[in-house]
Every structure is written in C-alpha cells, then in structure tokens.
Amino acid sequence: MKVSLSRLPLGILTALVIVVLLVFSVVIVYGGVNSMESQLEAKLLERMPAKAVEAYKDLNSGKVPSPDSLQVLLASTEELEEWGNWEVDKLILGFGGIAVAFCGLVGYWLARKISRPLEALARATQDLRAGDFAVRVGSIRKGAKEVATLVKTFDELAAELESMEDRLRFNTMAVAHELRTPLTILQGNLQGMADGVFPLEQERVRQLLLQVEGLSALVEDLRTLSLAAGQKLVTQRHPVDLAVEATQVLGASNTLLGSVGMSVEVALEPVRVSGDSQRLRQALLALIENATRYAADGRVLRCETGRRGVDEAFVRMLDRGPGLPDDVSTHSIDLFWRGDASRSRATGGTGLGLSVVQAIAKAHGGRLEFAARAGGGAVITLVLPREPAL
C-alpha cells in the first residue's frame, strides 16, 4: 500500500526531515573536504623544503628516502601538521556553512509545504469568526496527517455551523409564524372588547383561553427543545420499564383517544431502560397526541414495546392514518415540520410534537425511526439503549 510522506504523522515527518537534513550535511562536508584533498596536498608540497618533498614522494612511491631528506621531513612535520589541521578546519567550516545554507533552504521549503494548509486554515478561521459560515479550506494535497485531520474537522465544523445558522433562521421565522396567528386573534378580540365592538361573552373568553393555552404549550415545547440543545433535558436517570410507562400513559389518554373515536391495541413486553421516566412519558404522550390529530380516521392505535437485538429497547406506535412521506426516514425533523399538507395548524397542537420526541430520544442516547405500515398507516418507533442486566 502506497503511503504519502506528506500524510505521515507530524512527529514522524519531522524526525524524517531532520535525519535527511543531517545526512545531507554530512555528505556535503565530507564530499567537499574529500574533493579538495589533491589541492590541499599540492599546497602542502609547496610549503615543504625540497629535501622533505623528495622524502615525501619516496615514501608515497614505496622507496626508502635518504637519511638527510628523511631528517628534513621529520623536522618539518610538526609545522606542516599544524598548517594542515588549520587548512582542514577551514575547509570543514566552509563546507559546513554551505551545508547549513543548503539545509536551511530545504528546511524552509519543506516547512512551507507543511504549514501552507495551516495558513489557509488561519485565514478561513478569521472568515468564520467574521460570520462567514460558508467558508471552507477544502482538501489539501500536502501537509502532515494531523494537519489534514485538522482541516477536515474545520470544514465539518464550518458546515455544521452553517447548517445550524440555517436552522436557526428557519426556526426563528417558524416561531414567529406560529405565534402570529394566536396573538393576532387575541389582540383583535381584546381590542374589540375594549372598544365595545365585541360583547364580553363567556364563550368568547373561553375561545381566547384556548389560544392562550396553545401559546403556553408552544412555549413549553420550545423550552423542552432549548433544554435538549443545552444537554440539560435529561439530568437524572433510573431504571424504567417501558411497558409500565406505556400502560400508564395509555390509561391516562383514554379520554383523549375516545374523543376522536380511537381504540387501542397493545403488545407490551417488559423491557427496562435507563432514563428519565417523566421525559419518556412526555414522549409517549406526544406520540399518542400525534396519532389522535393526524391518524384518527384509522380508528385504531397499536402500541408495542420490546427488545431489539442485544442492546436496544423500543416503543412503537402504529396507526392506520394517511401515513408519512416516502422520504421521512431521511427527513430532518425541523421545528413545526409536518409530513403533508393535511398536517396543519387546523388539526391543533404546536407542530413541535415529533421534534420534542426526537430531542428526548437523543437525550437518552436513542433515536426516532419512521416507516410505512403494511396495509396503510405509519409506524413511529422510539429506540433506546437497554438497561444492562444485573
């Protein structure tokens, strides 16, 4: 498998660069001094007395020099050795300087190759800080493994921030839209009563109270979603039996179900999870209310609990209503999302039911799943991690 040097970990890449530069330095110094050997020898011969030169050449050729010439050579050895050492030192310093300059240039070039993505990342970070969430660094061809990972993480973070900004803008507009109608009704009626246009009738006051109750429910659902965003929705956990909780919520919802003509079928298998019973009951009630508003024509609501695999438990609501869109399994459940045009404010509710259920599921480490029911209708499943067996 081919591995790019620029994708090695930064520590290994730095060590390799240092080793390569050291090798280059040794090669430059050694090669330079070795290439000057003949010139150094010629200068040495020029400084030697004639008889010493004669003895030096005889020794190099394997001959025995004359005693006089050998004696002259030995007498000048100390001076020549001192001069030779100085000349060698000058050569080492000179070629060492060349090696330092060369390695410095190579090191700077390599450092620029490695750090260039960081410069692009720094510029992108400044743009992101200025509010440009569309900024991206993009894929890089050069740089250490850690740098590539950092750039990839930054791009993912910027994409998530851009998505969050879009959702925040949409949610703000959605909240304003949902608040506008009840507030307009309240303001118009109260102003009419104050001006004497509308009589102060008990039925009219009751209708206005319904609008206030709707606003209170909307505020409470928004508060729940706000707690979920701040990781404060579920603060205490204890063992909870989903079958018991479902039985209690279904029992408390008999009046609501009966008011729309729905009956209940159950298949409740005891299964324990670690969670907040109050929040889980809130999620179950939201699923029941969702069914009564949008699937009442199906007349029957089926609730199931049980195990899925080794580590998961589920609560499943099955109805015979109009069902959900084909792409709902991959649809982001935004605020006030409704599956089709019939799921409008006219059916009641805040439009936040599934958003709240999804938030509660995520707060418990679970998820919300959607599917079409065989024969018509929808299947909404709340999947949660199971409580470890003792």
Side-chain angles (χ1 to χ4, degrees), residues 364-381:
H364 284 84
R367 63 188 182 278
L368 195 61
E369 296 180 350
F370 305 91
R373 187 179 183 185
V379 180
I380 303 179
T381 307

Side-chain angles (χ1 to χ4, degrees), residues 178-375:
E178 292 294 323
L179 290 175
R180 184 181 296 114
T181 298
L183 287 176
T184 300
I185 294 174
L186 286 170
Q187 183 179 10
N189 280 271
L190 292 174
Q191 187 66 48
M193 291 178 185
D195 295 341
V197 177
F198 297 145
L200 185 59
E201 300 174 343
Q202 185 176 2
E203 180 60 27
R204 187 178 298 278
V205 173
R206 186 180 297 111
Q207 293 297 324
L208 294 181
L209 284 175
L210 288 177
Q211 296 296 330
V212 173
E213 290 174 1
L215 288 174
S216 298
L218 176 59
V219 170
E220 181 58 31
D221 285 346
L222 289 173
R223 177 178 176 275
T224 299
L225 294 176
S226 177
L227 290 174
Q231 306 296 322
K232 297 179 180 179
L233 186 59
V234 176
T235 57
Q236 294 182 350
R237 295 173 181 259
H238 57 273
V240 177
D241 190 328
L242 292 181
V244 173
E245 298 299 330
T247 300
Q248 293 179 353
V249 174
L250 288 170
S253 303
N254 279 334
T255 302
L256 174 63
L257 292 165
S259 66
V260 295
M262 294 190 77
S263 60
V264 178
E265 296 178 356
V266 296
L268 305 178
E269 176 189 350
V271 58
R272 295 167 69 86
V273 299
S274 176
D276 186 326
S277 58
Q278 180 180 356
R279 293 300 182 187
L280 292 176
R281 286 194 295 269
Q282 181 182 2
L284 291 173
L285 181 59
L287 291 177
I288 293 172
E289 291 177 344
N290 183 77
T292 60
R293 291 193 181 99
Y294 309 124
D297 292 342
R299 299 299 179 185
V300 178
L301 176 65
R302 181 176 177 84
C303 179
E304 300 176 351
T305 62
R307 296 174 174 82
R308 177 183 288 184
V310 179
D311 301 323
E312 292 182 334
F314 68 86
V315 179
R316 182 181 296 130
M317 295 291 179
L318 304 91
D319 63 54
R320 288 297 184 186
L324 296 167
D326 294 336
D327 64 343
V328 70
S329 60
T330 57
H331 198 290
S332 174
I333 306 299
D334 294 314
L335 295 188
F336 312 106
W337 175 83
R338 295 177 172 96
D340 54 53
S342 68
R343 294 176 173 237
S344 64
R345 190 184 296 107
T347 61
T350 65
L352 296 175
L354 292 182
S355 298
V356 170
V357 176
Q358 186 181 56
I360 292 173
K362 289 184 177 181
H364 284 84
R367 63 188 182 278
L368 195 61
E369 296 180 350
F370 305 91
R373 187 179 183 185

Side-chain angles (χ1 to χ4, degrees), residues 28-29 90-104:
I28 290 174
V29 173
K90 288 194 298 183
L91 289 176
I92 292 175
L93 290 173
F95 284 107
I98 295 174
V100 168
F102 174 78
C103 292

Side-chain angles (χ1 to χ4, degrees), residues 27 61 68 70 74 114 122 199 216 227 300 319 357:
V27 169
S61 62
D68 293 342
L70 181 60
L74 292 175
I114 296 173
S216 298
L227 290 174
V300 178
D319 63 54
V357 176

